[in-house]
Amino acid sequence: MAIITLTTDFGEKDHFSGATKGAIYSELPDVKIVDISHNVSPFSIPEAAYIIQNAYNSFPKGTIHIIGIDSEINPENKHIAIKLDDHYFICANNGIMSMICSEIAPEKIVEINIHDKIQTSFPVLDVFVKVACHIARGGTLEIIGKTINSIKPIKNIVPYVNDDKTQIIGSVIYIDNYGNVVTNIKRSFFETAQKGRDFEISARNYKFKKIYNKYSDIVNFEIPEEKRHDEGRGLVVFNSGDFLEIALYKSNSTTVGSASSLMGLGIMDTVSVNFNKV
């Protein structure tokens, strides 16, 4: 039985996500539909890229992922379907897939060309659903599109290292439900650039010289609980997706605040790592 996932910026108020599911069920009554998220910030390609990269590989091979972010077709925003890591992704060619494709080479990419058969002002429902159901029935990508060799990149999805190899320049790509700030710097990228050197992580006026394995490592459990005062302390971890994350321990926007609010960090703000010269 096919699985189709949905990742969109539709939110929960409007009819869009419900209508999309209804259209899928109308074509494939026995399909399984899974909502990954409908709360991506409107038109936020970095957020969508982060979410789908960290969610898709928890699903079985062959799963079909509809990504409904900035999906209105125009001459600079075509629709694509990609087979990658034995999963299928249907989205606009606007850079959403560039984060995943920077680590795993696609097996096939097609530019969807069925629009002349469909009148649409709602491409996720009218186009993406048709393509997803075609794939779920065992159809090939070549039937619904022409093969292309590359996708549109997006700036700042991937960090870079300066010429003298002393600094990583990254950026904020996601702010989670706790207000923790996720960067585009993955553990493997960090360790390759670090080469065992000491470092200092900078985000606005905040500096960190240690990366913890988990959030609670900042706590000294040998001190009596009533004397700790650890809630709201800033720290850096590699999170469950292995991305460098700036957080507050047990952050809460209504009490101790969050890394995003207290440090003034937003999407695409710069986070750098400076290495000591050997």
Side-chain angles (χ1 to χ4, degrees):
M1 185 181 298
I3 299 173
I4 297 175
T5 77
L6 300 174
T7 303
T8 77
D9 58 2
F10 294 160
E12 302 296 338
K13 179 180 180 179
D14 300 317
H15 65 281
F16 302 120
S17 61
T20 300
K21 294 177 195 176
I24 295 170
Y25 283 129
S26 293
E27 291 207 32
L28 296 172
D30 295 327
V31 75
K32 291 183 177 179
I33 302 175
V34 178
D35 297 298
I36 292 179
S37 177
H38 293 296
N39 291 314
V40 177
S41 297
F43 303 102
S44 180
I45 291 168
E47 280 191 31
Y50 174 79
I51 289 170
I52 197 68
Q53 180 171 24
N54 285 284
Y56 89 88
N57 56 8
S58 293
F59 289 88
K61 300 291 188 182
T63 297
I64 302 156
H65 305 278
I66 292 176
I67 310 171
I69 311 291
D70 187 29
S71 57
E72 184 175 274
I73 193 167
N74 62 53
E76 297 178 353
N77 201 42
K78 304 291 189 180
H79 294 157
I80 55 175
I82 297 178
K83 184 179 183 185
L84 179 150
D85 198 19
D86 289 325
H87 289 249
Y88 294 91
F89 302 86
I90 304 161
C91 59
N93 190 10
N94 54 18
I96 283 175
M97 289 299 296
S98 57
M99 183 185 289
I100 301 176
C101 291
S102 70
E103 297 190 350
I104 303 174
E107 299 163 49
K108 185 174 288 294
I109 311 169
V110 301
E111 186 175 285
I112 297 168
N113 60 8
I114 62 173
H115 303 86
D116 58 337
K117 303 178 180 68
I118 299 171
Q119 290 289 332
T120 181
S121 60
F122 188 174
V124 173
L125 184 147
D126 297 320
V127 179
F128 293 3
V129 165
K130 292 290 185 188
V131 172
C133 292
H134 167 77
I135 296 169
R137 294 188 187 100
T140 63
L141 296 186
E142 290 85 352
I143 296 297
I144 50 86
K146 63 176 182 179
T147 300
I148 59 176
N149 297 319
S150 61
I151 62 170
K152 183 178 179 179
I154 184 171
K155 294 179 180 179
N156 299 327
I157 281 289
V158 179
Y160 63 95
V161 179
N162 67 351
D163 291 339
D164 63 4
K165 312 299 182 186
T166 59
Q167 185 181 56
I168 296 174
I169 299 91
S171 56
V172 176
I173 57 170
Y174 190 73
I175 297 170
D176 71 13
N177 191 52
Y178 302 94
N180 297 328
V181 174
V182 181
T183 76
N184 59 353
I185 303 169
K186 294 205 76 172
R187 183 196 298 266
S188 57
F189 189 95
F190 178 92
E191 291 177 347
T192 298
Q194 179 189 13
K195 301 185 184 302
R197 293 176 290 178
D198 291 336
F199 59 86
E200 182 177 76
I201 298 164
S202 299
R204 291 196 181 274
N205 296 323
Y206 293 84
K207 312 288 185 184
F208 303 90
K209 294 186 176 182
K210 183 174 183 178
I211 299 174
Y212 291 92
N213 292 317
K214 57 183 186 295
Y215 304 100
S216 62
D217 281 351
I218 200 170
V219 180
N220 182 353
F221 288 99
E222 295 180 0
I223 298 174
E225 185 174 357
E226 64 274 11
K227 295 182 179 180
R228 289 179 194 158
H229 310 297
D230 290 306
E231 291 187 12
R233 289 178 61 195
L235 70 149
V236 176
V237 296
F238 284 113
N239 66 16
S240 60
D242 259 355
F243 288 83
L244 189 77
E245 177 182 303
I246 301 171
L248 295 191
Y249 182 61
K250 291 191 175 180
S251 61
N252 185 323
S253 60
T254 62
T255 56
V256 298
S258 69
S260 174
S261 62
L262 293 180
M263 298 180 192
L265 291 169
I267 299 295
M268 306 316 294
D269 282 348
T270 297
V271 175
S272 61
V273 183
N274 294 284
F275 298 109
N276 293 339
K277 292 183 179 180
V278 177

